[in-house]
Amino acid sequence: MQRVEAEIAVSVSDLEKNPTAVVDGARGNPVAILNHNRVMAYMVPADTYEALVDALDDQVLIEIVRARAGEKGEPVGLDEL
């Protein structure tokens, strides 16, 4: 059985009928979109999605910093940049 990672779930047909009502009814929470009782997608508010993308970008930067933590720096003049 597939796990649903949202408290609110709607069918594709209900979403097609009135997407605004689904978004308003979710009150900022994620919504699982079901097709034949299986999750086919999750819908999240734009600000939540943007925060997730920012967090993933930050995670990539953290990994780069950790990988370079042991490197020795070399002095560079402004004219060399």
Side-chain angles (χ1 to χ4, degrees):
M1 178 149 209
Q2 185 182 27
R3 282 181 17 181
V4 178
E5 299 291 340
E7 292 182 18
I8 301 166
V10 297
S11 68
V12 173
S13 54
D14 286 343
L15 179 64
E16 288 173 343
K17 289 176 190 170
N18 197 346
T20 303
V22 172
V23 171
D24 291 345
R27 296 190 175 136
N29 294 308
V31 177
I33 309 302
L34 306 177
N35 188 20
H36 300 290
N37 292 323
R38 294 198 43 84
V39 177
M40 63 173 275
Y42 288 96
M43 184 172 64
V44 296
D47 58 342
T48 301
Y49 178 79
E50 291 164 6
L52 286 169
V53 170
D54 286 344
L56 289 172
D57 287 343
D58 290 347
Q59 196 62 38
V60 169
L61 292 174
I62 289 168
E63 290 173 20
I64 291 170
V65 168
R66 286 185 179 150
R68 295 181 180 175
E71 292 180 9
K72 255 188 156 176
E74 292 185 30
V76 177
L78 289 177
D79 294 334
E80 298 175 62
L81 294 177

